[in-house]
Amino acid sequence: MLLYALACRHGWGMRPNPSEGVQWLRRAADCASLEIADDEDGKKEGKVTDIQQQKTRRAQFALSIYELGVSHMNGWGIEQDKALALRCFEIAGNWGDADAMAEAGFCYTQGAGCKKDLMKAAKWYRMAEAKGMSMVGNSWIYKPKYADDSGDGRKGRKEKPPTPEKKPRDKSRTRTIFGRKKSVSQR
């Protein structure tokens, strides 16, 4: 169902029909979520289920939600809604889709569908990188000011440690552009 939805949306082997593709994406997400729920019910009843099939169903669910987000982001077959696209990326990212994690990070970086939030962007980019996605130029996500280690949820700058007392500056001398000291009387 998922592959047929993508074929409809992009026109792979048929005429492109993005609105039908979105309908099939929704059906694929619904079907995958029902299969996941059946697996969970089977676990509670003590039935043995194949772990590989469970992983496949979870990945299919995450991918279908991610593709719905892409459709909402670009307005393919549905009205463009960047806030809903971001929400789809977050859901798919929480289910383990690395592309969705990177897209959520991009949305927070650019402010697409939300306010710009580099802390959240760095978090989503780090999650995507932990899943194996390599991104060139994202070394900034590891800077301490974007670390999400403080559990208090505060934003902004952290308090600076106290600095030792400095000597007062001698105002009788100033520096030039080149760093040499000039006496005020020499001017």
Side-chain angles (χ1 to χ4, degrees), residues 10-100:
H10 296 291
W12 298 334
M14 62 178 71
R15 286 192 185 120
N17 189 349
S19 59
E20 185 181 351
V22 169
Q23 292 173 357
W24 280 102
L25 280 172
R26 287 183 177 151
R27 289 180 192 156
D30 289 340
C31 184
S33 68
L34 290 174
E35 288 175 350
I36 291 169
D38 288 343
D39 287 345
E40 296 297 322
D41 291 341
K43 280 183 182 178
K44 290 178 183 175
E45 295 173 2
K47 291 182 182 176
V48 178
T49 56
D50 186 20
I51 294 173
Q52 191 62 34
Q53 283 182 344
Q54 288 177 353
K55 287 182 180 180
T56 302
R57 288 181 182 135
R58 289 176 179 270
Q60 187 175 16
F61 176 71
L63 184 58
S64 57
I65 296 294
Y66 165 71
E67 290 296 339
L68 269 173
V70 171
S71 293
H72 281 288
M73 181 63 79
N74 297 312
W76 292 338
I78 198 163
E79 189 175 326
Q80 189 173 22
D81 186 354
K82 293 184 178 186
L84 184 57
L86 173 61
R87 184 70 186 126
C88 288
F89 294 148
E90 288 176 340
I91 291 169
N94 286 330
W95 278 85
D97 189 78
D99 291 325

Side-chain angles (χ1 to χ4, degrees), residues 119-120 123 126 143-151 153-154 158:
M119 296 277 286
K120 284 184 182 178
K123 179 188 113 179
R126 283 192 303 267
K143 287 187 177 180
K145 68 179 181 179
Y146 300 117
D148 195 21
D149 296 337
S150 66
R154 291 187 339 190
K158 297 192 178 10

Side-chain angles (χ1 to χ4, degrees), residues 152-179:
D152 58 4
R154 291 187 339 190
K155 299 203 183 218
R157 297 184 180 199
K158 297 192 178 10
E159 292 182 26
K160 292 182 180 178
T163 56
E165 291 283 329
K166 291 183 178 180
K167 292 191 309 184
R169 186 173 153 217
D170 181 16
K171 295 186 180 180
S172 64
R173 295 179 174 235
T174 58
R175 293 189 181 267
T176 65
I177 306 173
F178 303 109

Side-chain angles (χ1 to χ4, degrees), residues 90-165:
E90 288 176 340
I91 291 169
N94 286 330
W95 278 85
D97 189 78
D99 291 325
M101 293 174 191
E103 286 292 330
F106 176 78
C107 287
Y108 280 117
T109 303
Q110 299 298 316
C114 62
K115 286 178 101 175
K116 264 188 187 180
D117 189 344
L118 294 179
M119 296 277 286
K120 284 184 182 178
K123 179 188 113 179
W124 283 105
Y125 279 140
R126 283 192 303 267
M127 288 170 59
E129 205 165 279
K131 283 291 217 176
M133 178 175 269
S134 61
M135 295 170 279
V136 176
N138 275 352
S139 60
W140 63 271
I141 64 176
Y142 294 105
K143 287 187 177 180
K145 68 179 181 179
Y146 300 117
D148 195 21
D149 296 337
S150 66
D152 58 4
R154 291 187 339 190
K155 299 203 183 218
R157 297 184 180 199
K158 297 192 178 10
E159 292 182 26
K160 292 182 180 178
T163 56
E165 291 283 329

